[in-house]
Amino acid sequence: MALLQISEPGQATAPHQHRLAAGIDLGTTNSLVASVRSGVADTLPDRDGEHLLPSVVRYGAGQAAQVGHAALAAAVNDPLNTIASVKRLMGRGIADIRHIGTELPYEFVTGSSAMPLLHTVAGDVSPVEVSAEILRNLKLRAEQTLGGELDGVVITVPAYFDEAQRQATKDAGRLAGLNVLRLLNEPTAAAVAYGLDKGSEGVIAIYDLGGGTFDISILRLNQGVFEVMSTAGDTALGGDDMDRAVASWIMAQAGIRDDAGRSVMRHLMQLARQAKEALTTEQQVTVQIPHGVDGQWSGVLTRDSFNALIRPLVDKSMGPCRRALRDAGVRVDEVQTVVMVGGSTRVPLVRERVADFFKAEPMVDIDPDKVVAVGAAIQADILAGNKPDDEMLLLDVIPLSLGLETMGGLTEKIIPRNTTIPTARAQEFTTFKDGQTAMSLHVVQGERELVDDCRSLARFELRDIPPMVAGAARIRVAFQVDADGLLSVTAEEQTQGVKSSIEIKPSYGLTDREIETMLKDSMAHALEDRDVRRLREEQVEADRVLEALHAAMASDGEQLLEVDERAAIDVAAAHLAEARAGTDYRAIKRAIEALEKASSGYVERRMNSSIRKAMAGHAIDEFSK
């Protein structure tokens, strides 16, 4: 007879009791939930046996939101209240949304923050709230299937999601009533599922092309450790773009105008998606526009024509692949396996281009739709405590460098891109002016040398710094990135211990191509950035020297300087000010050296005067004790 484990009220759950955990793939087009049952991880179906949940939410007046297949069916007739591909809006600002607004059949409004709101008959909703509806539906499915409340979940995100997009995803999970154990990069989740199933070791490329995002990650698998060596991608590239290309072809063939209306555009996108999916196995497909939609039309789309339409999109994914290999320090021939993830990798042209690039046939024996959710479920099972002896370790990385603005508008990188997370780094800074009692800290993300070319994340201040001469204060700034890729920054003055900190929770994220552009620009402008940095550094040093000199001369210049000596110093200072206004950092450096030489006698007399004042009234032996 089996024995039951009984706990007294208020006591902790028995240590060996199985905790209910799930992995959620919150996708652009479809979402899934998976769990480990009887030692096997698999996705959970709904009551109709469907594993995929369309990531579509429909809002109605005075009624609960519809999620999934029912919402998708209403998209054509009710486009304004039916929200699809909301993942593309997560963590983005209203300016970013307006930039791509012509492609989205919604009405956007500005709320109290920079976060965009979508106007529906049920009220204005944010992308976070829409995503929470999807997550809430998956939560209900999991709890009904598993027979209890979930103890925690792992939600996957694209590796190239920035701070804002990750935070928005985590907020959506909390809003849905989920205990989010961790955000896991989608390629890493795929590696977990693949690596545990195959027991492979070595270098693996994860090519993840979903409905709205593309990621490429280079990982090294070794004795249960999944180390992400590099990652790259595009947060605005996926199957949706293929659908738009086909829809544009239909419009051109059928003579449909761009202002045909939201319902027509929604219907064309559905036809385009159906044609794309059919051409995965067929050589041609007949596309028909029924009478009443926008006139009656019928045409044939061949696979060759489809390939021509989407080839620029597929080729676009090769650039991040090259950069990921370069950042990882890995040659193409060192990649042992390429794992395909995401529904869009079913497209034959995608598989052909990936095979050609990596010189190897990609792995396609794992369901590309399910593999991310399965990997997330395995990780959730471990984090929930169901496998305390499991030695699997995940080492993700941050996609872009994190740093601070320093004098002159320069970026000081604290954590370089592709650093393994979780991580913590610290660096000491100092004050620029005498008596400075506060410091403004500007946290940025990007690869360029100038702050203006990087992404602003947050600003905060450190106050109550003890007044000291410039350069005497020691300000320790610490960056900490947790396992979810979320950043917190702390600044502390070392002598008195005054401290200030901030959790980076920006209200909007990077624009569609900003991350890609940041990395490309950092390479294209490397020499230019180096020279600009040198110029700014010398300009900052010139400002410091001139300010210190003017303060000193105002204090005791009349007593310690001869007329001829002061005139020489004034001439050298004027030359430095003139060089400071120019663009030749070498000229500024020479002018600083000339001014220091001209004022060396004055500096020596000031030092001697200070020593005499300090020793006045004291015996020499007092200073030797």
Side-chain angles (χ1 to χ4, degrees):
M1 179 182 293
L3 298 178
L4 296 176
Q5 176 68 34
I6 300 175
S7 299
E8 292 295 330
Q11 287 187 351
T13 304
H16 63 272
Q17 182 175 335
H18 186 81
R19 295 175 175 85
L20 299 182
I24 293 178
D25 176 7
L26 183 61
T28 305
T29 306
N30 296 296
S31 297
L32 300 96
V33 60
S35 186
V36 176
R37 294 184 291 175
S38 302
V40 178
D42 199 3
T43 54
L44 306 178
D46 62 14
R47 292 178 177 176
D48 297 323
E50 297 285 348
H51 289 254
L52 295 176
L53 175 73
S55 301
V56 184
V57 180
R58 183 194 184 195
Y59 291 91
Q63 61 186 35
Q66 290 180 313
V67 180
H69 296 281
L72 181 61
V76 173
N77 296 324
D78 192 14
L80 286 180
N81 300 303
T82 308
I83 315 301
S85 299
V86 71
K87 187 173 179 176
R88 282 195 162 185
L89 309 182
M90 293 288 279
R92 298 190 184 279
I94 189 66
D96 305 328
I97 301 305
R98 284 173 177 164
H99 180 68
I100 59 174
T102 55
E103 301 175 352
L104 299 171
Y106 313 124
E107 289 185 4
F108 292 99
V109 295
T110 304
S112 58
S113 68
M115 182 183 293
L117 299 176
L118 297 93
H119 182 67
T120 73
V121 294
D124 298 337
V125 294
S126 70
V128 169
E129 292 173 295
V130 179
S131 295
E133 292 288 354
I134 300 170
L135 291 172
R136 197 174 288 116
N137 187 283
L138 294 172
K139 174 177 181 282
L140 179 62
R141 179 192 297 189
E143 290 180 342
Q144 288 177 342
T145 304
L146 301 176
E149 292 187 6
L150 291 175
D151 290 286
V153 299
V154 168
I155 302 176
T156 61
V157 293
Y160 244 47
F161 257 23
D162 74 339
E163 298 285 332
Q165 291 165 309
R166 291 171 186 271
Q167 187 62 57
T169 303
K170 199 164 191 178
D171 288 344
R174 290 170 177 164
L175 189 60
L178 293 167
N179 174 27
V180 182
L181 300 171
R182 181 176 177 180
L183 299 181
L184 184 63
N185 285 349
E186 290 165 4
T188 309
V192 170
Y194 172 80
L196 293 182
D197 287 345
K198 304 298 180 182
S200 177
E201 293 192 356
V203 177
I204 290 181
I206 311 292
Y207 183 99
D208 184 355
L209 185 62
T213 59
F214 168 65
D215 286 314
I216 176 69
S217 293
I218 308 299
L219 300 92
R220 189 181 299 278
L221 279 62
N222 183 28
Q223 297 180 354
V225 176
F226 293 80
E227 178 185 3
V228 181
M229 302 169 68
S230 68
T231 185
D234 191 329
T235 58
L237 176 64
D240 286 357
D241 300 285
M242 298 180 186
D243 298 342
R244 269 188 284 274
V246 175
S248 296
W249 175 85
I250 296 173
M251 292 174 69
Q253 297 296 312
I256 300 174
R257 300 189 311 274
D258 292 339
D259 59 353
R262 292 186 173 94
S263 293
V264 173
M265 294 305 299
R266 271 293 179 88
H267 185 74
L268 291 177
M269 286 292 286
Q270 284 191 4
L271 289 177
R273 181 175 294 114
Q274 292 167 3
K276 175 189 70 177
E277 293 171 354
L279 288 171
T280 297
T281 55
E282 304 295 331
Q283 291 300 317
Q284 66 179 40
V285 61
T286 299
V287 182
Q288 293 182 330
I289 297 179
H291 183 71
V293 174
D294 198 69
Q296 194 164 2
W297 174 85
S298 177
V300 175
L301 178 62
T302 66
R303 182 182 289 182
D304 288 342
S305 297
F306 172 66
N307 288 346
L309 292 172
I310 68 169
R311 190 176 298 277
L313 299 170
V314 179
D315 290 344
K316 189 178 178 182
S317 71
M318 296 300 109
C321 290
R322 294 186 188 93
R323 189 172 66 251
L325 289 173
R326 183 172 59 248
D327 288 349
V330 171
R331 300 187 310 274
V332 171
D333 59 9
E334 294 181 79
V335 178
Q336 295 179 347
T337 306
V338 182
V339 179
M340 303 295 271
V341 181
S344 297
T345 60
R346 288 191 172 92
V347 174
L349 180 63
V350 173
R351 295 184 177 182
E352 292 171 13
R353 289 291 287 116
V354 171
D356 180 64
F357 180 87
F358 287 101
K359 312 300 181 187
E361 286 298 317
M363 294 292 298
V364 295
D365 58 334
I366 306 174
D367 188 332
D369 281 322
K370 294 183 177 182
V371 64
V372 167
V374 167
I378 294 171
Q379 179 67 0
D381 196 49
I382 295 171
L383 292 178
N386 292 326
K387 295 183 178 179
D389 298 327
D390 199 302
E391 297 180 355
M392 185 182 71
L393 178 64
L394 304 181
L395 302 175
D396 270 334
V397 297
I398 59 172
L400 286 173
S401 301
L402 297 163
L404 286 174
E405 177 180 359
T406 58
M407 290 300 299
L410 295 173
T411 302
E412 183 69 20
K413 295 183 179 68
I414 307 298
I415 302 180
R417 80 173 189 269
N418 284 327
T419 296
T420 301
I421 58 173
T423 186
R425 301 278 181 92
Q427 193 164 323
E428 283 196 359
F429 296 86
T430 189
T431 50
F432 182 74
K433 293 185 178 182
D434 291 343
Q436 184 175 338
T437 59
M439 177 181 287
S440 177
L441 295 105
H442 183 197
V443 184
V444 296
Q445 187 171 29
E447 304 307 317
R448 299 290 297 277
E449 296 293 338
L450 298 184
V451 166
D452 290 343
D453 297 323
C454 292
R455 167 71 178 188
S456 175
L457 291 181
R459 297 175 186 267
F460 68 109
E461 289 185 349
L462 176 65
R463 296 186 173 275
D464 300 323
I465 301 173
M468 309 178 196
V469 297
R474 292 168 51 229
I475 313 297
R476 186 177 186 271
V477 181
F479 278 52
Q480 184 168 340
V481 182
D482 65 16
D484 295 326
L486 302 178
L487 170 67
S488 60
V489 182
T490 301
E492 181 178 7
E493 198 285 313
Q494 298 290 283
T495 61
Q496 298 294 320
V498 294
K499 184 183 294 187
S500 181
S501 63
I502 189 171
E503 289 186 2
I504 308 301
K505 295 181 66 173
S507 57
Y508 56 89
L510 299 177
T511 56
D512 281 353
R513 294 173 175 82
E514 196 166 0
I515 293 179
E516 184 82 11
T517 301
M518 280 180 173
L519 294 177
K520 287 180 179 178
D521 285 351
S522 70
M523 300 170 193
H525 299 282
L527 295 178
E528 175 189 335
D529 284 356
R530 182 199 63 187
D531 291 342
V532 169
R533 185 177 188 91
R534 288 175 176 174
L535 174 63
R536 293 292 179 88
E537 288 174 343
E538 293 299 338
Q539 287 175 332
V540 170
E541 179 63 11
D543 291 341
R544 186 194 66 79
V545 170
L546 287 171
E547 185 169 338
L549 176 64
H550 292 149
M553 291 174 65
S555 174
D556 54 25
E558 295 292 336
Q559 296 80 23
L560 299 179
L561 278 172
E562 299 292 336
V563 175
D564 292 345
E565 186 180 20
R566 176 155 193 157
I569 292 176
D570 287 342
V571 170
H575 286 163
L576 175 55
E578 182 180 354
R580 161 67 176 84
T583 58
D584 186 348
Y585 70 88
R586 298 178 185 85
I588 301 174
K589 187 173 183 179
R590 289 193 297 268
I592 291 174
E593 293 171 350
L595 179 57
E596 290 176 342
K597 183 176 181 180
S599 59
S600 60
Y602 170 51
V603 171
E604 184 176 346
R605 289 194 295 277
R606 289 197 83 228
M607 185 177 296
N608 291 337
S609 176
S610 298
I611 293 174
R612 284 195 296 271
K613 290 179 180 178
M615 295 182 64
H618 298 278
I620 294 179
D621 58 358
E622 291 183 55
F623 295 93
S624 61
K625 293 180 181 179

